[in-house]
Amino acid sequence: MTRTGVWLIGARGNVGTMAIVGARAIATGHATTAGLVTERPPCTTLKLPGFDDLVFGGHDITTTGISSRAQLLAANGTPPSSTVEAVSDELERIDDRIRTGTITGSGSAIEALAEQSINGESLSSMVEQLRRTYRVFVEKHDLGRLVVVNVASTEQPLEQPARFDSRATIERAIETDDRTLPASAVYAYAALLDGHPYINFTPSTGASLGGLQELAIERNVPHMGRDGKTGETLVKSALAPLFAGRNLRVTSWSGHNILGNNDGRVLEDETHQAGKLESKGGVLEELLDGTFHNQVRIDYAPPLGDWKTAWDDIRFSGFLDTEMSMRFTWDGSDSALAAPLVLDLVRLIAHADEHGEGGPQPQLASFFKSPLGVDEHDLSRQFSMLERYVERHAEEHP
Ligand SMILES: NC(=O)c1ccc[n+]([C@@H]2O[C@H](COP(=O)([O-])OP(=O)(O)OC[C@H]3O[C@@H](n4cnc5c(N)ncnc54)[C@H](O)[C@@H]3O)[C@@H](O)[C@H]2O)c1
């Protein structure tokens, strides 16, 4: 298998940094593969890029480098400092490949965060600059393919996304310098146009626009999103089918999340939080029957650093309308939950690209809160979709 480039938009953030540290630590024998779906059956039967074959680069708008970010994460509990130390030379090398990103149309919380950004004379010049950046990276590192992954801060939701439901409307927006088109869609457009597979790990717009989906089909490029399913929503999508299957009628599901990292800081802004709440709450609407009180809160609690806690309170009625309840608490390291999924997604979308499977990738639904083009939210059924995909490949390419 040829070397695979991994272009992380938001590479210097917690998820980006954890993914880079993890991949390099696994490649050099300093970490196990715990947490990676692609490292357990049935995915182990697929021919996927090795961790040593992944070459990282990316865009960011902060000047705090990957090494410093990794040390901050280590001081907060994970990864271990010894792991960061073991790959520190490589972190410096990768950081030299980070280019300044754009925040066009991203919203006020991201504008407040940006220490540097390119906003281009026009959107079309910016698209050309992004395409050139991707191309130079591929040529310089002699890459067989480049996977572009959005792990940048959550943008404000795009108003009336249906405005961009065809490739023509997107290209008109770029030509006329329509700055309502958000950065995530601009990065995605530049990637898809040149055939680079694209993953949107965030709730931001990315390639969800009808026009970008059309472009992906035309160019036969695989892409998938949105919003990695790593914590409270992961548990919800495993647990809700239990209530539905037993005809236990949920009357109320309240979830309260607190987190202390920069993601939490951005999500403190109500406009940026709106997209996240939609994908977190929507999962239950899809899985449970009838009407019920469905509430999700996200609060920023800085002392938690990169850790998050979710408390969920579920009220339900059973036989003879007997009222019962269940509560759970989820404590997780935000980035240690997300980073292995990013690596799994890179490997699996590279596989899809290798086999000429363009467009959205339903077999990857289990990785996302709002899987593009997939109505199935039951976690075990989503896992079955991945298993069937792997089985099909095992039969077709024994
Ligand atoms: N950690 C999880 O469990 C999880 C789960 C699902 C989704 N996500 C999403 O992943 C994203 C990253 O989370 P994080 O914890 O790493 O956040 P973070 O704030 O630590 O990192 C985000 C990085 O993106 C950079 N950035 C912001 N806008 C940019 C732009 N337009 N171009 C280039 N770089 C940009 C920031 O400078 C920062 O370095 C968020 O959108 C979050 O909602 C995270």
Side-chain angles (χ1 to χ4, degrees), residues 129-282:
Q129 189 173 344
L130 294 176
R131 293 176 73 191
R132 198 165 45 247
T133 304
Y134 298 153
R135 189 168 59 242
V136 167
F137 185 63
V138 168
E139 286 168 4
K140 185 163 180 204
H141 298 279
D142 193 21
L143 304 172
R145 101 176 11 89
L146 179 68
V147 178
V148 175
V149 188
N150 183 14
V151 284
S153 317
T154 307
E155 294 168 350
Q156 63 185 12
L158 174 64
E159 279 177 29
Q160 300 172 315
R163 281 181 294 149
F164 303 112
D165 63 357
S166 67
R167 179 178 173 182
T169 54
I170 290 192
E171 293 184 341
R172 202 171 312 124
I174 292 170
E175 273 162 33
T176 57
D177 205 32
D178 176 352
R179 294 296 178 129
T180 61
L181 194 67
S184 64
V186 178
Y187 287 119
Y189 175 76
L192 296 173
L193 197 59
D194 288 331
H196 306 306
Y198 172 84
I199 289 162
N200 185 6
F201 198 75
T202 80
S204 304
T205 305
S208 65
L209 297 173
L212 292 180
Q213 300 208 43
E214 184 185 323
L215 176 62
I217 299 278
E218 269 176 38
R219 297 283 156 124
N220 198 30
V221 194
H223 70 102
M224 197 56 186
R226 301 192 253 178
D227 204 4
K229 187 160 75 173
T230 59
E232 188 212 21
T233 316
L234 176 71
V235 180
K236 278 179 170 173
S237 67
L239 208 51
L242 175 153
F243 290 100
R246 276 290 166 91
N247 202 3
L248 297 170
R249 295 174 182 173
V250 172
T251 51
S252 169
W253 194 313
S254 305
H256 186 186
N257 297 260
I258 55 172
L259 73 167
N261 55 21
N262 267 339
D263 189 28
R265 190 162 71 147
V266 171
L267 292 175
E268 206 182 17
D269 182 307
E270 277 176 21
T271 42
H272 291 256
Q273 193 175 105
K276 194 69 152 189
L277 290 180
E278 199 180 305
S279 53
K280 282 176 86 68

Side-chain angles (χ1 to χ4, degrees), residues 34-219:
L36 283 148
V37 174
T38 47
E39 286 294 306
R40 73 180 295 274
C43 290
T44 39
T45 61
L46 295 175
K47 197 159 175 271
L48 302 176
F51 292 95
D52 210 17
D53 295 322
L54 304 180
V55 182
F56 290 92
H59 277 111
D60 211 304
I61 54 164
T62 178
T63 51
T64 304
I66 292 170
S67 265
S68 308
R69 179 69 60 204
Q71 280 157 18
L72 288 169
L73 284 168
N76 195 228
T78 189
S81 300
S82 56
T83 309
V84 176
E85 185 56 33
V87 297
S88 60
D89 288 352
E90 298 188 61
L91 298 187
E92 296 292 345
R93 265 200 297 280
I94 293 168
D95 201 62
D96 286 343
R97 302 177 201 143
I98 307 303
R99 300 290 168 261
T100 303
T102 174
I103 56 166
T104 185
S106 295
S108 53
I110 295 184
E111 281 165 23
L113 204 80
E115 292 164 338
Q116 53 181 18
S117 65
I118 47 157
N119 282 312
E121 287 164 14
S122 64
L123 279 182
S124 47
S125 70
M126 208 143 60
V127 166
E128 286 316 306
Q129 189 173 344
L130 294 176
R131 293 176 73 191
R132 198 165 45 247
T133 304
Y134 298 153
R135 189 168 59 242
V136 167
F137 185 63
V138 168
E139 286 168 4
K140 185 163 180 204
H141 298 279
D142 193 21
L143 304 172
R145 101 176 11 89
L146 179 68
V147 178
V148 175
V149 188
N150 183 14
V151 284
S153 317
T154 307
E155 294 168 350
Q156 63 185 12
L158 174 64
E159 279 177 29
Q160 300 172 315
R163 281 181 294 149
F164 303 112
D165 63 357
S166 67
R167 179 178 173 182
T169 54
I170 290 192
E171 293 184 341
R172 202 171 312 124
I174 292 170
E175 273 162 33
T176 57
D177 205 32
D178 176 352
R179 294 296 178 129
T180 61
L181 194 67
S184 64
V186 178
Y187 287 119
Y189 175 76
L192 296 173
L193 197 59
D194 288 331
H196 306 306
Y198 172 84
I199 289 162
N200 185 6
F201 198 75
T202 80
S204 304
T205 305
S208 65
L209 297 173
L212 292 180
Q213 300 208 43
E214 184 185 323
L215 176 62
I217 299 278
E218 269 176 38
R219 297 283 156 124

